[in-house]
Amino acid sequence: MPHSHDHDDGPDDGHDDDTGHSHGHGHDHDHDHTPIQADEPTGHYHNLADAARELLIEKGYFDGSDVREMIERIDSRTPAIGASIVAKAWTDPSFKERLLTNGKKTLKDEMDIDVVVADLVVVENTEDVHNVVVCTLCSCYPVFVLGRPPDWYKSREYRSRVVRHPRQVLHEFGTEIGDDREVRVHDSTADMRYMVLPKRPAGTDGWSEEQLAGVIGRDSMIGVAEVELPN
Ligand code: FE
């Protein structure tokens, strides 16, 4: 992997927040088109990851094409995968139980979805509990079921504030959680990724898995939104 502690994120993720990236420079063509990376100082973890990758390639554990294939694999994932998992859980109670008990194994055995790098814990929203996911350290995210994380997920703002003021942050996303429901914040790690199983909206009785999957958006599986039916 091109990054430290098996993260799913790109080289410009939250690890390097302190290194003073200088985006937004003018594009006035008074220079030749050197790669963007040339303008960006690499942070400590980036350098460490590069060194580790080169050493592992040199030692023969994998080669450059393995790294490229992994990146391609990551980039091929989208929230549609997560939506298909949620739709199945909504329509098959025994699958849901297995999913909540052992997410990674259940997805591999029953849907042939490989979570690959980390364990996956699926947390269920209920009448009593609303769950939301963050990685306070950097940007760990269930990339193999949701694709790459949105930019806000990697922002220092979200990472720091959702832990301390979850209801306020959810409010800013337009999501109001009543005082009668507990809000639980789950902090991801390199070894443990979380995905939210949102509440099934009223008015979807008898819907097929495919119909249900069509209304399940990415943000509801991070927990900053609930699933709502289009008007
Ligand atoms: Fe992280």
Side-chain angles (χ1 to χ4, degrees):
M1 292 295 292
H3 215 253
S4 61
H5 72 285
D6 83 8
H7 279 187
D8 307 320
D9 32 34
D12 63 345
D13 69 358
H15 290 288
D16 298 328
D17 278 353
D18 291 321
T19 57
H21 286 181
S22 56
H23 292 294
H25 54 79
H27 194 195
D28 53 13
H29 287 253
D30 63 350
H31 58 87
D32 56 3
H33 280 242
T34 50
I36 289 167
Q37 293 91 315
D39 295 317
E40 299 188 353
T42 53
H44 171 72
Y45 293 105
H46 193 154
N47 292 337
L48 194 64
D50 284 350
R53 183 180 69 248
E54 282 167 28
L55 187 64
L56 289 164
I57 289 173
E58 194 179 303
K59 295 285 186 186
Y61 287 95
F62 51 76
D63 63 24
S65 71
D66 295 326
V67 175
R68 186 203 57 73
E69 282 170 22
M70 180 59 94
I71 292 169
E72 186 175 359
R73 233 169 131 194
I74 289 169
D75 284 346
S76 73
R77 304 297 173 115
T78 77
I81 296 170
S84 69
I85 295 167
V86 171
K88 187 173 173 64
W90 282 350
T91 53
D92 181 343
S94 67
F95 170 79
K96 185 178 88 172
E97 283 311 308
R98 293 189 295 279
L99 180 70
L100 296 174
T101 305
N102 191 336
K104 182 170 180 166
K105 182 175 188 301
T106 301
L107 291 179
K108 184 64 190 166
D109 292 351
E110 303 187 38
M111 295 184 78
D112 199 27
I113 295 169
D114 194 350
V115 176
V116 184
V117 289
D119 206 357
L120 181 73
V121 175
V122 180
V123 288
E124 183 183 19
N125 285 350
T126 66
E127 296 299 327
D128 300 318
V129 176
H130 180 89
N131 298 283
V132 58
V133 176
V134 66
C135 175
T136 54
L137 180 67
C138 40
S139 52
C140 297
Y141 186 76
V143 67
F144 284 92
V145 291
L146 296 185
R148 287 192 180 278
D151 287 344
W152 56 257
Y153 184 86
K154 299 188 276 187
S155 70
R156 172 156 298 177
E157 176 97 354
Y158 176 75
R159 285 156 41 214
S160 59
R161 290 184 62 236
V162 76
V163 177
R164 281 176 290 155
H165 308 293
R167 285 175 191 274
Q168 174 62 27
V169 171
L170 290 171
H171 168 77
E172 290 163 18
F173 277 101
T175 301
E176 310 296 341
I177 303 300
D179 289 338
D180 55 335
R181 295 176 75 199
E182 179 190 350
V183 176
R184 288 185 193 156
V185 182
H186 300 272
D187 192 0
S188 313
T189 69
D191 300 321
M192 189 71 76
R193 304 297 164 84
Y194 294 93
M195 184 183 106
V196 174
L197 176 60
K199 276 201 306 173
R200 180 170 176 166
T204 57
D205 289 353
W207 285 31
S208 69
E209 276 185 48
E210 198 175 16
Q211 283 176 297
L212 290 166
V215 298
I216 299 161
R218 175 195 69 197
D219 290 354
S220 72
M221 295 178 279
I222 304 173
V224 297
E226 297 193 279
V227 176
E228 286 170 12
L229 301 185
N231 290 317

